[in-house]
Amino acid sequence: MTSISGAEMVDWNLAVATATRLVRPGPEVTRDEARAVVAELRGHARTSERHVREFTRMIPEGAAVPDTPVLVVDRAGWVKANVAGFRELLLPLLGKMQDRRASAPGGAVLGAVGGKVTGVELGMLLSFLASRVLGQYETFAPASRDLPAAAAGGRLLLVAPNIVHVERELEVAPHDFRLWVCLHEETHRTQFTAVPWLRAHLEGEIQTFLGATEVDPMTVLERIRDAAQSFAGARPDAEHGDEGRSLVELVQTPEQREILGRLTAVMSLLEGHADFVMDGVGPQVVPSVAEIREKFQQRRANGAGRLDAALRKLLGLDAKLRQYRDGERFVRAVVGQVGMDGFNRVWTSPNTLPTKAEIDRPADWVARVHGKGGEGGAEDREG
């Protein structure tokens, strides 16, 4: 590179190439089997849309909502889609860092080298994740020729080889498992299409988080170095409380931790709600849902070995597992107290989203939003 723009501070093409080269091959399937899987997943996505809307009652019957594409992809397709999403989200931060670097001696050369290094590192991370994600609603995805998205952003990805791999590993009925996964992911699509302000709210929080990032390269490197040493057990002051914290947590400023607390609460809500809906709809349309849930929960808890567990801890993925559990418990408790319509008040505005503390204490959210003791819930329960 002869000139480094904000976007080029990460070599995105190198990130895609690295991830594609390193990602594990998917399970062996014939061409006919692959086509059948793709067709079935697309059909399940359409079926799930009706089931989720009826169960959640988030979208009134006959109401028009933005349509978002459903894409069945392989692992390389998931990588390409996520690199595009990362680039979109990080553009303001990278521009800020570029402005700082441009005034430093040798900044252009440092940017070119750093962009390639970061591209390789991002590619390595994505190669690890690409074989583990079953599906994903990409909230901030820009459209491209190969990967369409809604005009306002958003598309649903179903990663076919990973779904086949897990259903074989768990030894569950493929038809049931594929529908079960689609129910979870369709819930995420419904959340964002039914709640117009949710995308902008999340983007604002994320941009505020990124805006608080230390842009001095030496400061960032020092934080990452401390994080790596703490994780490896080589840091002499590890007893000060950094052990057990993820790399993501260790590179944050105090302001970012406060923002992350709000983001964690929202993500717990979204993930827990998807799990709740998946299990709520499941018994009517997925005959083996109890077996699938039990085996899948065991898989979530156990991981895939020592290296997998170490990487999950370092990257903060264990925190995501807690989001599923804590969020589902919050949704179940609130629905049990004030009914589905009472719970749906959570989507009224950013002010009615639960706080991180309320995720752990659902009754506090009910008291704040519905009045002390959840007054008015009886009417909601009748629905």
Side-chain angles (χ1 to χ4, degrees), residues 94-106:
L94 294 176
K96 182 179 177 181
M97 294 182 69
Q98 171 59 21
D99 291 342
R100 174 71 64 88
R101 181 171 289 168
S103 61

Side-chain angles (χ1 to χ4, degrees), residues 106-129:
V109 175
L110 179 62
V113 175
K116 291 189 178 298
V117 171
T118 307
V120 170
E121 291 173 340
L122 177 59
M124 294 172 65
L125 169 61
L126 289 171
S127 72
F128 170 75
L129 297 174

Side-chain angles (χ1 to χ4, degrees), residues 16-191:
V16 171
T18 301
T20 303
R21 184 174 67 253
L22 296 179
V23 71
R24 299 174 184 176
E28 292 186 8
V29 294
T30 66
R31 180 170 298 181
D32 288 342
E33 287 174 331
R35 287 173 177 166
V37 171
V38 171
E40 185 171 25
L41 287 172
R42 286 175 177 162
H44 283 334
R46 289 191 296 270
T47 301
S48 297
E49 182 177 5
R50 183 182 75 254
H51 291 311
V52 169
R53 290 188 181 189
E54 290 176 354
F55 184 81
T56 64
R57 303 204 291 270
M58 292 179 66
I59 301 175
E61 188 174 352
V65 295
D67 189 26
T68 52
V70 177
L71 307 179
V72 181
V73 298
D74 58 11
R75 292 171 176 175
W78 181 88
V79 167
K80 291 177 183 177
N82 274 265
V83 165
F86 282 150
R87 182 173 184 169
E88 189 80 3
L89 269 182
L90 293 176
L91 193 59
L93 173 63
L94 294 176
K96 182 179 177 181
M97 294 182 69
Q98 171 59 21
D99 291 342
R100 174 71 64 88
R101 181 171 289 168
S103 61
V109 175
L110 179 62
V113 175
K116 291 189 178 298
V117 171
T118 307
V120 170
E121 291 173 340
L122 177 59
M124 294 172 65
L125 169 61
L126 289 171
S127 72
F128 170 75
L129 297 174
S131 61
R132 286 157 175 79
V133 176
L134 301 182
Q136 174 186 4
Y137 184 78
E138 279 201 292
T139 313
F140 309 107
S144 67
R145 184 179 60 183
D146 300 328
L147 296 165
R155 60 185 167 220
L156 180 61
L157 304 179
L158 297 170
V159 191
N162 295 350
I163 293 173
V164 172
H165 171 77
V166 174
E167 70 191 26
R168 290 179 179 179
E169 179 184 292
L170 299 182
E171 298 181 338
V172 294
H175 175 86
D176 288 5
F177 184 74
R178 294 167 193 175
L179 178 55
W180 190 71
V181 170
C182 287
L183 288 170
H184 181 100
E185 302 308 332
E186 177 57 38
T187 303
H188 287 316
R189 187 163 75 135
T190 298
Q191 289 164 348

Side-chain angles (χ1 to χ4, degrees), residues 90-369:
L90 293 176
L91 193 59
L93 173 63
L94 294 176
K96 182 179 177 181
M97 294 182 69
Q98 171 59 21
D99 291 342
R100 174 71 64 88
R101 181 171 289 168
S103 61
V109 175
L110 179 62
V113 175
K116 291 189 178 298
V117 171
T118 307
V120 170
E121 291 173 340
L122 177 59
M124 294 172 65
L125 169 61
L126 289 171
S127 72
F128 170 75
L129 297 174
S131 61
R132 286 157 175 79
V133 176
L134 301 182
Q136 174 186 4
Y137 184 78
E138 279 201 292
T139 313
F140 309 107
S144 67
R145 184 179 60 183
D146 300 328
L147 296 165
R155 60 185 167 220
L156 180 61
L157 304 179
L158 297 170
V159 191
N162 295 350
I163 293 173
V164 172
H165 171 77
V166 174
E167 70 191 26
R168 290 179 179 179
E169 179 184 292
L170 299 182
E171 298 181 338
V172 294
H175 175 86
D176 288 5
F177 184 74
R178 294 167 193 175
L179 178 55
W180 190 71
V181 170
C182 287
L183 288 170
H184 181 100
E185 302 308 332
E186 177 57 38
T187 303
H188 287 316
R189 187 163 75 135
T190 298
Q191 289 164 348
F192 283 94
T193 54
V195 185
W197 53 265
L198 185 56
R199 180 183 185 275
H201 172 71
L202 271 180
E203 184 174 20
E205 290 281 58
I206 291 170
Q207 291 302 335
T208 303
F209 180 89
L210 294 176
T213 300
E214 298 281 1
V215 295
D216 175 63
M218 292 308 297
T219 301
V220 174
L221 287 173
E222 185 64 30
R223 287 181 180 273
I224 293 175
R225 187 177 300 114
D226 288 348
Q229 291 177 350
S230 174
F231 179 71
R235 187 175 170 186
D237 59 344
E239 66 271 12
H240 290 174
D242 282 343
E243 71 276 27
R245 292 168 62 192
S246 71
L247 175 61
V248 176
E249 292 172 311
L250 285 167
V251 299
Q252 291 163 14
T253 65
E255 181 184 357
Q256 286 176 309
R257 292 192 185 103
E258 182 179 340
I259 300 167
L260 187 66
R262 298 196 298 268
L263 282 169
T264 298
V266 176
M267 297 311 297
S268 295
L269 170 69
L270 299 180
E271 296 293 358
H273 182 235
D275 267 12
F276 178 79
V277 172
M278 181 170 59
D279 288 344
V281 175
Q284 284 74 47
V285 299
V286 182
S288 58
V289 64
E291 177 191 2
I292 291 173
R293 165 56 82 181
E294 181 181 359
K295 290 183 174 181
F296 195 76
Q297 290 286 52
Q298 290 176 352
R299 184 180 186 274
R300 272 182 179 173
N302 297 334
R306 293 179 62 187
L307 176 59
D308 183 80
L311 285 170
R312 285 189 343 193
K313 184 175 182 180
L314 177 62
L315 298 172
L317 299 182
D318 283 344
K320 186 172 179 64
L321 299 183
R322 290 195 297 272
Q323 288 174 8
Y324 287 104
R325 183 191 64 227
D326 297 344
E328 196 273 342
R329 187 170 57 237
F330 169 84
V331 176
R332 186 172 300 280
V334 172
V335 172
Q337 188 169 352
V338 297
M340 183 64 76
D341 293 331
F343 165 78
N344 280 340
R345 293 190 190 179
V346 78
W347 312 115
T348 303
S349 75
N351 292 330
T352 56
L353 291 172
T355 64
K356 190 175 181 182
E358 288 171 340
I359 289 289
D360 294 329
R361 295 191 296 272
D364 290 355
W365 180 87
V366 172
R368 177 170 67 87
V369 174

